[in-house]
């Protein structure tokens, strides 16, 4: 069906994507939207680095700097890293477990549109009176007293976006539990599927505290309640607890899928089974569990007392053990392997020292007495970016290069890919390595300028030059995408020729039904097992038959759009605007009306008949 639609021109393709419930098209939507927000967050980072390139700079004002700083962090975490990973999960995880779709295709589409409208709503703050300005953590002590509507945009936008992520996580959990192909036991699942599974579990438990915190903040700011207002008996520290009970597992929600991506890449390009598979699975689960035990290490300086600080310090250091297991297993996977130095493998190898540096500084700031010195200096900025950029962003870039031929049917240019890699890696280390020393020299975070003669000039200039390198790397990547989309080499099913998992057993890009016949899984790396027996593709686990498919629907977009409209009414309600209540009602009518339509519509989907499948015999091996 999708091929027919694409022949009908731009309008038909646009309608196809606006109404799609196909996980592969939703993956592309996530990548496009997340990529847009990534570029936006990168531009905000460049403004920060231009402002701090020289002392006493007046490139932007102090107020605008606070807005840029807040929006950079918020955009990169919530609107770039999360959706880009969700895009890769959508594209790959159902294929890796041998499923024809996710468990709830409609909910999958709804999750994307909620994220998208939440992100658009948040960024409209730039044009409607000013962006949020209390930092990406939006501590209540600052945000309750922030004038204008910036924080209200933050609260409402993240509420809408967060609901989308939460239902996406639930969908992935149900898919992995109930839709694995015959023979695909839990201990035969690829590592990327395992990390998707654990990250989705973290989403299920971590996002509700954020939702509650944002709801309290909304009630305090818009309706005058006293959850965080000290003068009304509230407590601003409660916001910090609610935020970090979400915020620390969020780091693992981001970094665990990146670990999964690297596990796939090391195994594929070393032409070896992943070393210590069982220990990798248990390390992943243990990291997920311990991720909930450590949130107050962000709050060592708030006066929790020595006992609480000591407990959280020990728990934080304990996370280093399962992470260390993973690092050694990746090294042992490469040991004795027949390594191919492709672009994804470049990212994977560079990730190990980069991420270990982030881990080492993590152990340093985990020590509560030392943290009193590091806290609120650029040392923490450097640590955080070594974990997020050195782990998550390198992981996303590796995953996009690795699975691009599977998703889009064309190979990216390897030379341009390696140019992107070197520019980005050199830029990353130039930008953030020097910031450790700036922090140790006493440079505070979140300041918009610094005085000359403090010894901070050279470090800040080097850091800003590094940011420019990363920007050029991203531009080269975009050029690579455009160039290869037009005339790149067509990808075969097993695009890298060494694929081990099920996604490489079907055509690139996959047909809308994924698998003509569900595959029979006979062990870890099921495709590799079949290759070793000189078989083409997978042994089917069922006879050829009709395949049931879900219908497309515009309702996920409409439900999300209704919340987007209602949010404007809530935003301007405290101002006494006469139109605010009708706008809230209009948005609620659109959302609940769409839900009602969904509930009364008897949508049975459609079938692809086996006669049509028999005529679709593509060769699936290179």
């Amino acid at each position: 069906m999708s091929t027919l639609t694409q022949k009908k021109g731009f309008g038909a393709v646009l309608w196809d994507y606006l109404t799609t419930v196909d996980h592969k098209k939703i993956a592309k939507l996530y990548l496009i939207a997340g990529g847009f927000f990534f570029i936006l967050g990168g531009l905000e980072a460049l403004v920060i680095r231009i402002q701090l390139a020289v002392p006493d700079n007046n490139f932007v004002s102090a107020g605008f700097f606070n807005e840029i700083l807040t929006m950079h962090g918020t955009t990169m975490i919530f609107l770039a890293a999360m959706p880009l990973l969700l895009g890769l999960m959508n594209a790959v995880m159902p294929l890796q477990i041998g499923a024809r779709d996710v468990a709830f295709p409609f909910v999958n589409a709804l999750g994307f549109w909620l994220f998208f409208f939440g992100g658009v709503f948040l960024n409209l703050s730039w044009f409607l009176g000013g962006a949020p300005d209390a930092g990406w953590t939006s501590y209540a002590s600052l945000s309750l007293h922030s004038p204008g509507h910036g924080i209200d945009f933050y609260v409402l936008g993240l509420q809408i976006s967060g609901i989308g992520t939460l239902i996406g996580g639930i969908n992935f959990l149900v898919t992995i539990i109930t839709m694995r192909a015959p023979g695909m036991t839990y201990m035969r699942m690829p590592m990327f599927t395992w990390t998707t599974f654990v990250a989705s579990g973290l989403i299920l438990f971590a996002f509700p505290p954020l939702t509650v915190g944002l709801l309290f903040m909304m009630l305090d700011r818009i309706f005058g309640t006293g959850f965080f207002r000290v003068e009304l008996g509230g407590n601003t520290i409660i916001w910090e607890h609610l935020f970090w009970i979400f915020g620390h597992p969020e780091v693992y929600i981001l970094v665990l899928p990146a670990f999964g991506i690297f596990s796939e890449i090391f195994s594929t390009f070393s032409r070896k089974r992943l070393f210590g598979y069982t220990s990798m699975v248990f390390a992943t689960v243990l990291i997920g569990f311990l991720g909930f035990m450590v949130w107050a290490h962000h709050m060592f300086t708030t006066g929790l007392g020595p006992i609480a600080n000591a407990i959280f310090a020990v728990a934080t250091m304990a996370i280093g053990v399962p992470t260390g297991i993973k690092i050694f297993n990746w090294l042992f996977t490469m040991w004795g392997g027949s390594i191919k130095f492709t672009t994804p493998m470049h990212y994977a190898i560079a990730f190990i020292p980069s991420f270990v540096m982030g881990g080492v500084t993590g152990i340093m700031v985990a020590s509560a007495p030392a943290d009193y010195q590091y806290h609120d200096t650029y040392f923490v900025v450097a640590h955080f970016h070594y974990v997020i950029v050195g782990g998550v962003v390198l992981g996303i870039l590796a995953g996009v290069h690795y699975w691009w031929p599977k998703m889009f049917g064309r190979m990216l240019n390897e030379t341009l890919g390696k140019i992107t890699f070197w520019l980005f890696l050199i830029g990353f280390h130039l930008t953030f390595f020097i910031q450790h020393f700036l922090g140790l020299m006493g440079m505070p975070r979140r300041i918009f300028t610094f005085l000359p003669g403090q010894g901070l000039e050279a470090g800040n200039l080097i850091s800003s030059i590094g940011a420019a390198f990363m920007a050029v790397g991203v531009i080269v990547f975009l050029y690579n995408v455009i160039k290869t989309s037009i005339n790149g080499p067509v990808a075969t099913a097993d695009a890298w020729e060494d694929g081990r998992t099920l996604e490489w057993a079907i055509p690139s890009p996959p047909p809308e039904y994924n698998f003509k016949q569900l595959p029979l899984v006979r062990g870890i790396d099921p495709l590799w097992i079949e290759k070793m027996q000189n078989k083409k593709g997978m042994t089917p686990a069922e006879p050829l038959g009709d395949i049931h498919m879900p219908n497309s629907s515009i309702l996920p977009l409409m439900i999300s759009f209704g919340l987007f409209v209602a949010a404007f009414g809530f935003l301007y309600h405290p101002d006494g605007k006469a139109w605010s209540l009708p706008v809230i009602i209009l948005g609620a009518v659109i959302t609940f009306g769409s839900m009602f339509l969904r509930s009364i519509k008897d949508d049975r989907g459609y079938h692809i008949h086996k006669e049509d499948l028999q005529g679709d015999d593509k060769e699936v091996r290179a």
Side-chain angles (χ1 to χ4, degrees), residues 183-254:
M184 176 68 76
T185 62
Y186 282 107
M187 294 311 286
R188 287 177 178 176
M189 296 195 313
M191 275 313 300
F192 181 67
T193 298
W194 258 112
T195 54
T196 298
F197 185 58
V198 174
S200 299
L202 294 181
I203 287 171
L204 181 63
F205 291 104
F207 268 77
L210 176 69
T211 306
V212 169
L214 289 168
L215 177 66
F216 287 172
M217 179 75 76
M218 180 180 85
L219 292 171
D220 275 14
R221 277 191 60 95
I222 295 174
F223 298 104
T225 55
F227 291 102
F228 306 125
R229 292 185 182 276
V230 178
E231 64 273 21
L232 297 177
N235 185 343
T236 59
I237 299 295
I238 299 297
W239 165 267
E240 295 188 33
H241 279 293
L242 287 170
F243 185 88
W244 288 117
I245 289 170
F246 148 79
H248 200 84
E250 168 69 6
V251 174
Y252 297 103
I253 291 168
L254 296 176

Side-chain angles (χ1 to χ4, degrees), residues 402-421:
Y402 180 56
W403 283 306
W404 188 272
K406 180 53 59 184
M407 289 187 279
F408 295 95
R410 289 191 183 270
M411 300 294 291
L412 288 171
N413 182 292
E414 277 288 286
T415 305
L416 289 173
K418 284 167 185 166
I419 292 169
T420 298
F421 163 77

